Amino acid sequence: MAYFTSRGGGNSNDTTLYEILGVTKNASDAELKKSYRKLAKEFHPDKNPEHGEKFKEISFAYEVLSNSDKRETYDRFGMEGLKEGMSGDSGGMDDIFSHFFGGGMFGGGHPFGGAFGGGRRRRTKGEDTVHRLGVSLEDLYNGKTAKLQLSKNTICAPCNGHGGKPGAMQPCRTCQGRGIKISIRQIGPGMVQQLQSTCPDCKGEGERINERDRCKRCHGQKTVKESKILEVHVDKGMREGQKITFRGEGDQQPGIEPGDVIIVLIEKEHDIFKRNGADLHMEHTIGITEALCGFQFSLRHLDKRDMLIKYPAGGIIQPGCRRVVENEGMPIYRHPFDRGHLIIKFNIEFPENNFASEDQLAELAKLLPPPPTQPEPSEDAEEVDLVDYEARHNSHGDGHRQAYHSDDDDEDGQGGPSVQCAHQ
């Protein structure tokens, strides 16, 4: 099997695989085999369970060096060349190559960190746990400390996360400690399909322990459920969707850094105020007299302060207009003495019809600005009156149109016999 077709010659200084087997770079096949048998017997998992990773390194080194093509590639180009050669001429077996080498073999750290994990990519950090915490607008304005009780997995103390007695945990024989089960089936001439599934015997752990040797508390699971109370500090000015992270407070697993607990703030709707960034928005309804002659009203803020909001006489409030109370909005996160603004939208409530007599209205008209001058109507102008618009006007008009349509249908022969007016 040829591994390289385009690269030039080379001579790698990488002797890691030879060092694993304890032989020189010029060792013969017989010397390789003899050394491998000796080391495999010494570090076999059945004899030394704690040296399972060492056994995998020995097996991999012998597999490469006992194959003349792979050995030549390794001698010339080292591990990187071996990886490139196998992936470049894999004959459709890319998945098997990826499974064998894992994800960390050439990525720094120990050169066999991924290759001898049996193809199972081991996580270095557990998954994060996300919780939603509902907070009111008052909580975000004033700040708050909430207590949150969590149930999480923790390392079993009696067995120190081993699941049983020291040395009782053995590599799974079904998956050879990989945690996954690989099967290959032929789907056509020269075509195979690789199927990968979690090992049913060890449930993906790669290890098993006899029932009689299991820890009495965790029953071989290595972790137990425990409750913990976290104090969540909601600072002034925090926002909807903001995250509060507790590092390392997630579920614990042996040999893996615990994940984080992430609290996501969910803002509850407020009856009066609506938040937009650092500003607060609200609506307020006043009468026509207040809109024309000034007003004042009391408002209780989110910190329970009563504010007296005034608008001077002479200033006109139009329907839908907005006015601002400066520096009475939300606190700025991490700058609690700086605030946004309070923005008030005004709705005007007009009086009922005929609220005053004609004489009073005439006196009122004298106080108000005069109406604009209108052009003189023509002599043939028709005088009409305005009436209140109601939905019945619209439906009544539709009824007439439907009647006309019905008559048209009758004339087209779609309805009953038409009735014609008699002319005299």
Side-chain angles (χ1 to χ4, degrees):
M1 177 179 180
Y3 286 87
F4 287 84
T5 58
S6 60
R7 291 186 62 164
N11 185 16
S12 172
N13 294 323
D14 189 349
T15 60
T16 304
L17 298 184
Y18 291 102
E19 293 172 4
I20 290 176
L21 294 179
V23 297
T24 65
K25 198 169 184 179
N26 298 323
S28 64
D29 292 342
E31 291 174 322
L32 289 173
K33 189 172 184 180
K34 180 179 179 181
S35 179
Y36 167 70
R37 288 183 173 179
K38 177 182 177 182
L39 294 172
K41 183 178 180 180
E42 180 181 353
F43 293 100
H44 195 279
D46 291 342
K47 186 176 181 181
N48 290 300
E50 65 276 10
H51 291 107
E53 295 299 318
K54 177 67 174 177
F55 178 76
K56 295 172 186 176
E57 294 180 5
I58 295 169
S59 300
F60 175 75
Y62 181 69
E63 178 176 342
V64 172
L65 299 180
S66 62
N67 183 295
S68 59
D69 291 332
K70 293 180 184 179
R71 182 176 180 179
E72 180 184 358
T73 301
Y74 175 69
D75 288 342
R76 295 174 64 189
F77 306 108
M79 278 293 184
E80 194 65 34
L82 184 65
K83 175 187 176 184
E84 181 180 340
M86 293 182 72
S87 60
D89 188 15
S90 59
M93 304 298 283
D94 292 338
D95 291 338
I96 297 179
F97 173 80
S98 176
H99 163 72
F100 186 81
F101 277 86
M105 179 173 179
F106 303 99
H110 194 287
F112 300 100
F116 300 114
R120 182 162 54 101
R121 297 191 178 188
R122 299 184 181 274
R123 293 178 298 164
T124 59
K125 184 178 179 181
E127 295 182 357
D128 295 335
T129 304
V130 180
H131 290 273
R132 297 175 178 269
L133 178 63
V135 289
S136 65
L137 198 55
E138 286 88 350
D139 296 334
L140 298 174
Y141 186 93
N142 300 297
K144 176 185 179 181
T145 298
K147 291 186 177 181
L148 184 64
Q149 182 174 354
L150 300 178
S151 177
K152 68 175 186 176
N153 294 328
T154 59
I155 299 295
C156 178
C159 67
N160 198 27
H162 294 296
K165 300 177 183 179
M169 191 69 68
Q170 300 289 334
C172 177
R173 295 181 180 274
T174 303
C175 65
Q176 303 300 319
R178 292 189 297 265
I180 54 176
K181 189 175 181 181
I182 302 289
S183 58
I184 300 175
R185 69 176 182 180
Q186 187 171 354
I187 58 177
M191 299 177 62
V192 295
Q193 181 183 27
Q194 174 183 295
L195 302 176
Q196 178 174 305
S197 59
T198 300
C199 177
D201 292 339
C202 66
K203 297 180 175 57
E205 292 294 326
E207 299 174 319
R208 294 189 65 187
I209 186 171
N210 294 327
E211 186 173 355
R212 65 176 180 274
D213 296 327
R214 292 177 183 174
C215 173
K216 302 301 181 183
R217 185 181 181 193
C218 67
H219 306 290
Q221 299 299 316
K222 304 180 183 180
T223 60
V224 293
K225 284 287 186 181
E226 289 187 358
S227 295
K228 182 169 184 178
I229 296 178
L230 297 179
E231 286 193 354
V232 183
H233 298 282
V234 180
D235 294 334
K236 295 181 179 181
M238 282 188 164
R239 299 171 180 265
E240 160 88 15
Q242 190 161 347
K243 298 177 180 179
I244 302 173
T245 302
F246 292 86
R247 303 291 181 189
E249 291 292 347
D251 289 332
Q252 298 178 2
Q253 297 181 50
I256 297 178
E257 179 186 353
D260 303 330
V261 172
I262 301 175
I263 308 299
V264 181
L265 300 181
I266 304 299
E267 181 184 319
K268 300 176 183 177
E269 187 174 350
H270 197 271
D271 294 336
I272 299 176
F273 301 105
K274 290 185 178 180
R275 182 179 184 178
N276 184 10
D279 295 332
L280 288 174
H281 292 252
M282 62 168 290
E283 293 189 11
H284 184 68
T285 300
I286 59 176
I288 185 65
T289 304
E290 297 170 292
L292 298 176
C293 304
F295 60 88
Q296 66 179 31
F297 69 95
S298 179
L299 175 68
R300 174 153 291 190
H301 212 321
L302 294 171
D303 56 359
K304 298 185 179 180
R305 285 182 299 123
D306 287 328
M307 298 189 304
L308 185 62
I309 300 177
K310 294 183 177 182
Y311 197 71
I316 304 299
I317 297 292
Q318 299 175 347
C321 76
R322 290 174 169 84
R323 297 292 184 266
V324 177
V325 182
E326 295 182 335
N327 303 318
E328 287 296 346
M330 292 293 296
I332 306 299
Y333 178 55
R334 292 184 175 174
H335 300 278
F337 296 104
D338 297 331
R339 287 184 169 86
H341 305 308
L342 172 61
I343 302 172
I344 305 175
K345 178 183 177 181
F346 287 95
N347 301 314
I348 309 301
E349 188 176 75
F350 287 84
E352 299 289 339
N353 291 336
N354 303 316
F355 74 97
S357 64
E358 292 186 1
D359 293 340
Q360 291 173 325
L361 293 176
E363 293 296 323
L364 178 60
K366 294 178 182 179
L367 300 176
L368 298 175
T373 302
Q374 300 291 338
E376 290 291 331
S378 61
E379 295 182 357
D380 57 348
E382 182 179 356
E383 185 175 335
V384 296
D385 294 326
L386 282 175
V387 297
D388 292 338
Y389 175 83
E390 297 179 5
R392 63 184 181 85
H393 287 89
N394 187 32
S395 63
H396 185 63
D398 290 343
H400 280 299
R401 286 193 292 272
Q402 290 174 2
Y404 295 147
H405 293 163
S406 177
D407 291 344
D408 293 341
D409 291 342
D410 291 343
E411 292 176 1
D412 292 339
Q414 301 295 328
S418 60
V419 178
Q420 297 181 355
C421 294
H423 294 277
Q424 294 182 352

